[in-house]
Amino acid sequence: MAKTLGPVRRAFAPWDDPSATPLIRFEAITKRFGDFTAIDNVSLDIYEREFFALLGPSGCGKTTLMRMLAGFETPTEGRVLLDGEDISQVPPHKRPVNMMFQSYALFPHMSVADNIAFGLKQDGLPAGDIKARVEEMLSLVKLEPFARRRPDQLSGGQRQRVALARSLAKRPKVLLLDEPLGALDKKLREETQFELMDLQEKLGMTFLIVTHDQEEAMTVADRIAVMNHGSFEQIDPPSVIYEQPNSRYVADFIGDVNLLDGALETRGGARVFSSKALSNPLPVMPPDDTPDGSACIAIRPEKLSVSLTEPEQADGLAMLKGTVWDIAYMGDVSIFHVRLSDEVCTGQDKDETVPVLRATIANTTRLVERPIAWDDAVWVTWQADAAVVLPR
């Protein structure tokens, strides 16, 4: 039996419950713009209270899918269901869905409080209810002292909070977030990600975020759908997407990864990976039903160890010899680029590039002198179960 990831402790996982009813269902959705197919026959279930992320590069169809839920686009084929009701033909203003745009789209001539109140006034709520709801939203996003200011008197992070409060003021069943943090600097973006998570949990609301930022999706989402050319490559929780990608595309798109091409073989009852770039077969632990043949292995940089001395041989330990090609000191970690040595790359054609492995090593002690330097001969090792076997 192949070794697999242990269970991740979590109390919320309705997608694993066959009896759970999804709040949102995209049912065999296709969207064409003339001859171009933006969404190609996809189906997806999203559950109540879930923080769901659509992740992918520009042009993959993630925003088009969100806009169909918001009502700004109509499916060419298929249905969009919300709480069991087909809303494909329901106009945007009649859907219990609200959208926070990347640009925030705040009214520059209105105060913070008036921006938040705008949608409530459009719905004809009594003045007393509007005042109470605005105060509630200002408290929720911690902007009470800024209620009378205009957007141009706020920082980027504060404007983002106003847009969020306005989107939440109408208490929609689903909040749609279109690249909501793209305009913020890195540190503020990271802080706001956790604030969004806390806010979503406090409100018990369903959030759907569209982003091309892998770290953002990994941080905030309960599940991620990785998109490519209008289709889903993989839909899973972040830990599964990262540790058990189902394709080379997903492994390469999410985080840093080392990819080696070769063949999966069975030798003496053990599974090994061989390649002309390697002097000896490497032990691997794929699922039992993985057939022999052409394959690729993916190893995350943080799973690798780098040492100046040759480690002792051990069952389940993969090792390669190489030379330190480059080093990046990042403070908390050092990144080593190790070029496999020529004697290791047996059969390597002269016009082929010798593989370079990327290893991320935590700096657990203060560095005065780096023990491993440029051009040092080193050994790179990892446990067999750290390598994910993927079809080529």
Side-chain angles (χ1 to χ4, degrees):
M1 187 73 168
K3 184 177 178 181
T4 59
L5 286 177
V8 177
R9 288 189 61 188
R10 62 180 301 117
F12 180 76
W15 48 87
D16 289 333
D17 181 1
S19 65
T21 302
L23 176 66
I24 302 164
R25 169 163 285 174
F26 294 96
E27 195 174 89
I29 291 290
T30 295
K31 178 61 180 178
R32 301 187 187 90
F33 297 97
D35 295 333
F36 175 70
T37 301
I39 302 293
D40 189 9
N41 191 30
V42 302
S43 296
L44 171 67
D45 290 342
I46 300 174
Y47 295 84
E48 190 172 6
R49 294 176 45 241
E50 185 174 4
F51 203 137
F52 195 93
L54 295 174
L55 174 67
S58 297
C60 71
K62 57 188 185 295
T63 299
T64 300
L65 197 63
M66 173 182 275
R67 287 174 62 84
M68 283 191 280
L69 179 56
F72 302 135
E73 300 289 352
T74 303
T76 307
E77 298 171 11
R79 300 191 302 166
V80 180
L81 290 86
L82 180 61
D83 219 0
E85 178 188 354
D86 185 355
I87 61 169
S88 304
Q89 304 302 320
V90 176
H93 66 279
K94 291 187 177 181
R95 300 187 184 196
V97 171
N98 220 338
M99 189 167 183
M100 178 179 161
F101 297 94
Q102 182 178 4
S103 64
Y104 305 152
L106 300 176
F107 298 109
H109 61 288
M110 291 184 182
S111 67
V112 167
D114 288 339
N115 264 283
I116 296 173
F118 181 80
L120 304 175
K121 291 178 180 177
Q122 294 294 106
D123 288 348
L125 263 66
D129 291 348
I130 292 175
K131 183 175 183 296
R133 188 77 59 83
V134 169
E135 289 174 354
E136 178 189 352
M137 291 298 107
L138 287 169
S139 174
L140 190 67
V141 297
K142 301 179 176 62
L143 285 178
E144 299 101 316
F146 305 94
R148 306 319 310 168
R149 291 193 186 182
R150 295 190 308 274
D152 62 358
Q153 297 172 315
L154 303 175
S155 69
Q158 289 167 339
R159 288 195 294 272
Q160 186 263 350
R161 290 167 185 249
V162 177
L164 183 60
R166 185 179 62 183
S167 301
L168 293 170
K170 295 179 69 172
R171 294 178 179 167
K173 286 185 178 180
V174 182
L175 179 64
L176 309 179
L177 303 158
D178 183 14
E179 303 276 5
L181 311 181
L184 305 182
D185 63 70
K186 179 177 173 59
K187 188 171 183 178
L188 183 56
R189 186 165 63 248
E190 291 174 351
E191 292 173 356
T192 307
Q193 288 168 5
F194 285 96
E195 290 177 358
L196 270 179
M197 294 164 61
D198 293 341
L199 188 62
Q200 188 262 347
E201 185 175 355
K202 184 185 298 183
L203 294 172
M205 190 181 293
T206 304
F207 280 20
L208 173 60
I209 187 171
V210 159
T211 181
H212 64 271
D213 186 324
Q214 297 97 324
E215 289 185 10
E216 184 170 286
M218 295 282 289
T219 299
V220 303
D222 294 306
R223 283 191 304 158
I224 300 171
V226 182
M227 296 192 68
N228 184 28
H229 297 302
S231 298
F232 296 130
E233 292 279 342
Q234 186 170 354
I235 303 171
D236 271 311
S239 58
V240 178
I241 293 277
Y242 187 81
E243 300 286 1
Q244 295 178 307
N246 64 0
S247 69
R248 187 181 184 125
Y249 175 85
V250 174
D252 197 25
F253 187 76
I254 302 291
D256 293 326
V257 70
N258 297 291
L259 296 169
L260 291 173
D261 290 314
L264 183 64
E265 303 175 19
T266 302
R267 297 187 182 182
R271 308 302 296 277
V272 296
F273 175 84
S274 61
S275 167
K276 65 179 180 181
L278 309 175
S279 59
N280 58 288
L282 301 175
V284 290
M285 298 180 67
D288 292 338
D289 59 354
T290 307
D292 287 352
S294 293
C296 166
I297 59 170
I299 316 122
R300 298 293 182 185
E302 70 276 8
K303 313 294 186 189
L304 305 183
S305 297
V306 181
S307 64
L308 293 169
T309 57
E310 182 177 356
E312 293 184 8
Q313 294 281 350
D315 289 341
L317 184 69
M319 61 174 66
L320 292 172
K321 189 177 180 182
T323 304
V324 177
W325 191 254
D326 210 349
I327 303 173
Y329 174 73
M330 308 297 290
D332 56 339
V333 298
S334 291
I335 301 171
F336 293 85
H337 289 221
V338 180
R339 185 176 186 268
L340 300 187
S341 56
D342 291 337
E343 69 262 26
V344 171
C345 300
T346 56
Q348 193 79 20
D349 294 336
K350 291 183 179 180
D351 60 346
E352 289 190 72
T353 303
V354 175
V356 175
L357 297 181
R358 178 185 172 106
T360 302
I361 310 300
N363 294 323
T364 55
T365 59
R366 294 178 62 190
L367 289 178
V368 178
E369 289 187 8
R370 186 177 287 108
I372 299 175
W374 281 264
D375 299 327
D376 280 349
V378 294
W379 288 87
V380 180
T381 61
W382 65 89
Q383 295 298 318
D385 61 352
V388 179
V389 179
L390 305 169
R392 289 182 65 177

